[in-house]
Every structure is written in structure tokens, then in C-alpha cells.
Amino acid sequence: MSSALPDDPLLESLRSRVAEDLAPVRPYRWASRLVAAIVLVALGAILLLWMWLGPREDIERLGGFGAWGLSIFQISCAGGLLSLALAQSLPGRWASFGRIVGLGALTFSVHGWISGWTHVASPVWPSTGSEIRLALFCLAAELTLALPLISWSLWLLRQGMPFRPAMLGAIAGLGAGLVGDAVWRLFCPYSSPGHVISSHSLPILLLAGAGALAGLLWDRRRQHRWRERSGGP
Amino acid sequence: MWISDSRAGEAFEGPAAREMSSRSEAADRLAAAMASYQQGSLEAFEYIYGSLSRDLRKYLLSLTLSAPLAEDLLQETFLQIHRSRGTYLHPRPVRPWAFGIARNVYLMDRRAWRRKRSLENAGEDLLLELGLPAAVEKLADRDLVRRSFGCLSPDQQEPLLLHHVWGFSFREIGGMLGIREGTAKVRAHRALEKLRTLVEKSS
């Protein structure tokens, strides 16, 4: 049964183009790919870091909840945020700007809350003279941990049709950064506000900025290809 | 045969219920066609084109107010539908997905060429082609209603048309426009009220 219109030149043109590339496609099941990526990255990183550095010195003082529980909670929140970003690449299901920004801010505040709780439970300051070195080390560690996830998320976003690429890139960067931070906090014992803000919160925000920039550049390139393809107004 | 001709149950009464039932069946057939299309069926693509092209053309016409541009964007919309067919998740409704792609195509074109939308350049024929809610068309003569429609902002026109002409729910409209469901409802309501006021004033 077909309800195609007869003698439609547009349909004729489309038919030949579509027929050239009609291989079966798998539906864009991003959720399972995302969960797999988060679990793989987090577990792999924890294993490697455990063997290299060992856990943070005060892990027993924090207890199972303070260490593992809160990290798993932060990873779950970040996973939710990444899911939201990827859902926005599916046409017709775009959330409002306010909702996305609100959820992003709320999820980032989870990091603040967890960092504050950790400092109250086990306050540890970097030794004098080593603040900058430790800050750079933690900054580099978090950025490295988040890199596979932000790359994967941005790649997945590109497979779809994102409505607001720059904002979604920022959300993807934020989510990836939060996962990286959740893993790294199992190994970094320093909880002072100065250290946390400069070495743990800052990389998350930098990743959000990098994601936004990636989204913006991708959108510009998309517009440029559009102009080339369509030939002119 | 990938399209089922089986009839639904017989528990329907009244024209409204029958209309809902036939719309639901049409939506199910379209979803089945999309699934077949994803598996590589050209016949399914033709069915989808036949089911959606008329409405998508009118939608793009209402966005662009230019018949030649709407035709170009319609072709691009179906090419994007083809490229993005993996982003359709069965058995979700196909129409909001397709209209979302059309809107994205329109926005891409507008941003790429910095086009401005103007009702003044729209011809009389184009104005006649634009569908308007039946409740509004009854208010005055067609030309007056359409001129008044042009006074609405694009943000008001879209939810009005999408709900009252093409029958999308406000939730679906929110997903297509990237706004909250409540916002879509308010904009459509205010658009209808403003249109009534404009038509009554002009009359």
C-alpha cells in the first residue's frame, strides 16, 4: 500500500537519492551506549588509579557512604545530565532552555554539596608551598579523566540533530567533568575550599566551556556546508 | 506485507471517537512505515512521503512565507529525514519527529542566510494556502483574517497553527519548538485571542 502522489517531481528526485543509500540503520539507542561509556570510563579509571596512587588517605574516615556512595551519586547525576543532552539531539523532543540550564545548575550544585560535606567530614589542607603544584596536578587529572566521556558525548550528539549545539556541548562538558571529578575525589584527599574551587570545580567549568565552543564551531561548520550546498538565497 | 489492514475493535461511538480512532490508526501505520524504512524499504519511504509531504510543505510555507523557498526546504527536510532516520525511535509518533526536522531545516537556512521573514512580500495565493483555525476563519472574510494573522509574531503563529490546524498536542509542540508545554499553550491561546481582537477591530 502506498499513498505516494503520482507524477511528483520532488518525489522522483528524492526517490533516486534515497535509493542510493538505503542500507538498514540501527535506531539511535544512545542511552545504552552512554551508560556503557560511563561505567567503562569510571571503572577503568578507578582501577588504574588505585594501582598507581592508592585511595585517598582519609578514605576510612569518610566511610563507605562518604567516599563511594557520594561518588556514585555524583556519577549518577552526571549521567542523568548527559542523557538529557543526548536526548536533545533527537528531533521533536527538545526541552526548554530554562529546563536544561536549571538542571545543569542543579547538577553542578551537587558537586558543591558533596565537596562541602567531604570537607566537614574530613578537612585536609594542602601543605604550604605545594598548593600550586597540587592544584595543577588535580586540574590535569580531572581534565584527563573527563576527556574520553566528553569526546564520546560530543560524537553521539553529532549523530543526531541537536537543536542548540553550543548549549548541549556545554551540558555534555559539564556532565563529563562531573564524572571525572567523582572518580578523582576517591584519590585526592585535599578538601579545602581553595583547592576544591581551583582544582576540582574549575576543570568542570572549563570542560563546559570547551563543550560549548565545540558545539558552536560544529554549528558554524554546519551552516557553512549548508550555504555551499544550497547555493544562495 | 509490512502495513497491516486489520481493523481496530468495535467499541467506538460517535464521529469524534471515530476520528480519533482513524488518526490513531494512521499514526500507527506511519510508525510501522518508519520502522520498515529504517530496515531499507523504499516503498516505506514513498508511503512516508505521501503521508507527510503536504503538511510539511504547508508548515514550511507558514514559516518561510515564500513558496519557492518552502519547496527547497521541503526537499532538504526529506533528505534530512533520510540522513537522520536512525534518530526515530519506534513506536513514538512520527509527525512530531518529522515536523521537528522541518523546523530545524528552516532555522538552519535562516541562520545560514540571515533571511528575514516578511508577510508583505507574500503573495495573495500564498496567503490563501496557509491553513488557519476554523474558529478564526469564520470571524470575517478570508483576506482580512490572513492579513491579521500576519500581525502575529512568529512565536505566536507557530503554536497556533501546530495545535489548531495540524492537531499536535501542546506537549508535542513544546518538544518541537524547545519550549515548555505550558508556554506553548499560553502562546497559542494569546495568539487566538489577539487574532480575534484584530479581526473584530478591522471589521
Side-chain angles (χ1 to χ4, degrees), chain A residues 8 15 21 23 25 28 94 161, chain B residues 38 46 49 82 86 104 175:
Chain A
D8 186 336
R15 192 190 278 128
D21 168 32
V25 293
Y28 185 56
W94 296 312
M161 186 176 270
Chain B
Q38 286 176 325
E46 291 173 2
Y49 178 89
H82 180 64
N104 215 15

Side-chain angles (χ1 to χ4, degrees), chain B residues 26-87:
Chain B
D28 289 344
R29 280 199 295 274
L30 204 47
M34 267 308 302
S36 288
Y37 177 32
Q38 286 176 325
Q39 293 309 307
S41 167
L42 186 60
E43 192 189 40
F45 168 75
E46 291 173 2
Y47 179 82
I48 291 161
Y49 178 89
S51 302
L52 294 175
S53 60
R54 200 171 67 117
D55 283 349
L56 285 175
R57 183 183 278 114
K58 281 197 168 179
Y59 178 53
L60 288 165
L61 202 56
S62 71
L63 292 173
T64 59
L65 298 179
S66 160
L69 181 57
E71 281 296 321
D72 287 343
L73 295 187
L74 181 67
Q75 178 177 33
E76 188 58 40
T77 296
F78 275 99
L79 289 174
Q80 284 291 345
I81 283 174
H82 180 64
R83 283 182 214 121
S84 311
R85 59 195 190 279
T87 64

Side-chain angles (χ1 to χ4, degrees), chain A residues 1-5 8 10-11 13-15 17-19 21-30 89-97 99 159-165 219 222-224 226-233, chain B residues 1 3 5 37-42 45-47 49-51 53 73-76 78-80 82-89 92 96-97 100-101 103-105 107-109 111-113 115 174-180:
Chain A
M1 184 200 304
S2 169
S3 60
L5 304 171
D8 186 336
L10 177 56
L11 176 58
S13 153
L14 285 169
R15 192 190 278 128
R17 289 175 78 166
V18 163
D21 168 32
L22 209 50
V25 293
R26 278 188 297 184
Y28 185 56
R29 301 267 177 212
W30 45 264
S89 62
L90 302 178
R93 296 177 59 192
W94 296 312
S96 68
F97 180 84
R99 184 169 173 226
Q159 306 309 304
M161 186 176 270
F163 184 36
R164 301 179 183 102
D219 194 34
R222 200 167 59 151
Q223 288 180 33
H224 176 72
W226 182 276
R227 279 194 288 269
E228 283 185 340
R229 220 168 42 224
S230 60
Chain B
M1 193 172 182
I3 298 175
D5 281 330
Y37 177 32
Q38 286 176 325
Q39 293 309 307
S41 167
L42 186 60
F45 168 75
E46 291 173 2
Y47 179 82
Y49 178 89
S51 302
S53 60
L73 295 187
L74 181 67
Q75 178 177 33
E76 188 58 40
F78 275 99
L79 289 174
Q80 284 291 345
H82 180 64
R83 283 182 214 121
S84 311
R85 59 195 190 279
T87 64
Y88 167 71
L89 299 179
R92 290 182 178 272
W97 175 80
I101 290 176
R103 189 167 193 273
N104 215 15
V105 164
L107 289 174
M108 175 62 54
D109 182 79
R111 281 204 298 259
W113 295 112
R115 294 187 199 276
M176 286 156 58
L177 304 185
I179 57 178
R180 286 173 46 230

Side-chain angles (χ1 to χ4, degrees), chain A residues 42-198:
Chain A
L43 282 180
I46 289 171
L47 198 63
L48 282 171
L49 289 169
W50 200 279
M51 289 190 301
W52 177 36
L53 295 172
R56 58 191 292 165
E57 292 147 9
D58 59 345
I59 200 165
E60 283 180 18
R61 192 157 64 224
L62 290 176
F65 169 76
W68 297 99
L70 289 181
S71 282
I72 289 170
F73 178 67
Q74 184 167 312
I75 289 174
S76 304
C77 292
L81 197 62
L82 283 167
S83 298
L84 173 69
L86 291 178
Q88 301 308 295
S89 62
L90 302 178
R93 296 177 59 192
W94 296 312
S96 68
F97 180 84
R99 184 169 173 226
I100 296 172
V101 168
L103 284 171
L106 185 67
T107 314
F108 184 70
S109 73
V110 165
H111 156 75
W113 177 82
I114 288 176
S115 301
W117 187 94
T118 306
H119 183 61
V120 168
S122 175
V124 179
W125 276 263
S127 50
T128 313
S130 66
E131 294 96 334
I132 294 176
R133 182 177 55 83
L134 288 169
L136 289 173
F137 184 68
C138 284
L139 187 79
E142 288 211 1
L143 290 174
T144 307
L145 286 169
L147 196 58
L149 263 183
I150 189 176
S151 308
W152 179 237
S153 301
L154 291 175
W155 186 83
L156 281 178
L157 274 172
R158 277 192 57 191
Q159 306 309 304
M161 186 176 270
F163 184 36
R164 301 179 183 102
M167 189 174 67
L168 297 185
I171 295 293
L174 191 66
L178 286 167
V179 172
D181 176 68
V183 168
W184 186 242
R185 70 178 285 278
L186 294 170
F187 302 94
C188 171
Y190 307 109
S191 62
S192 64
H195 176 79
V196 166
I197 289 170
S198 62

